[in-house]
């Protein structure tokens, strides 16, 4: 998983990440920022001593974390068929690419530690 942290004068601290991991970048930029890093680190610690995956529900993206992997799922991925029928006449479809992604647990831990260092380096 390749990523780059950037300081944007307009939108602040951001992560730029590969397209297959775009939902992870959205989660970090929009759901976590620098304010909720401690909460994510507490979840990481809890997972290390847990036998079951733990879920951190976000406004738009959920993190399902286990000892093996971090899975990110956008809420739009779980839209009911009834919700999508309203758009049927417009020939619109739910694009699932970019709504779900994952990475290994160690890669995730490295990402969070690097993000914390970057955000505290202001």
């Amino acid at each position: 998983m390749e990523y780059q942290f950037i300081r944007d004068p307009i939108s602040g601290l951001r992560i730029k990440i590969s397209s297959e991991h775009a939902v992870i970048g959205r989660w970090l930029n929009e759901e976590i920022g620098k304010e909720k890093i401690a909460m994510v680190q507490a979840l990481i610690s809890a997972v290390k001593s847990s036998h079951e995956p733990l879920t951190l529900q976000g406004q738009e993206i959920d993190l399902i974390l286990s000892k093996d992997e971090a899975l990110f799922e956008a809420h739009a991925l779980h839209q009911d068929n009834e919700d999508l029928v309203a758009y049927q006449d417009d020939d619109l479809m739910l694009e699932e690419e970019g709504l779900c992604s994952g990475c290994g647990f160690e890669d995730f831990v490295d990402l969070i530690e690097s993000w914390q260092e970057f955000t505290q380096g202001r």
Side-chain angles (χ1 to χ4, degrees), residues 15-114:
I15 183 173
K16 185 176 178 182
I17 197 164
S18 59
S19 61
E20 67 261 16
H21 295 108
V23 73
I24 298 173
R26 279 186 44 219
W27 175 81
L28 197 56
N29 287 330
E30 298 168 14
E31 300 271 349
I32 302 305
K34 63 181 182 178
E35 297 81 20
K36 297 182 182 176
I37 295 173
M39 181 175 54
V40 175
Q41 290 173 323
L43 182 69
I44 290 169
S45 295
V47 164
K48 288 180 180 179
S49 62
S50 174
H51 297 288
E52 298 294 321
L54 299 176
T55 301
L56 177 62
Q57 292 187 332
Q59 295 290 328
E60 294 183 27
I61 301 169
D62 293 340
L63 164 63
I64 303 156
L65 189 60
S66 71
K67 292 180 181 178
D68 298 321
E69 70 177 343
L71 179 63
F72 299 83
E73 293 183 344
H75 294 179
L77 187 63
H78 304 289
Q79 292 291 320
D80 293 334
N81 285 337
E82 294 175 15
D83 295 339
L84 299 177
V85 168
Y87 299 105
Q88 189 173 4
D89 293 337
D90 297 330
D91 290 329
L92 296 176
M93 293 175 37
L94 178 63
E95 182 66 45
E96 292 188 11
E97 185 177 321
L99 296 179
C100 184
S101 186
C103 65
F105 180 78
E106 295 301 323
D107 288 339
F108 176 70
V109 171
D110 290 343
L111 171 68
I112 295 302
E113 288 173 356
S114 298

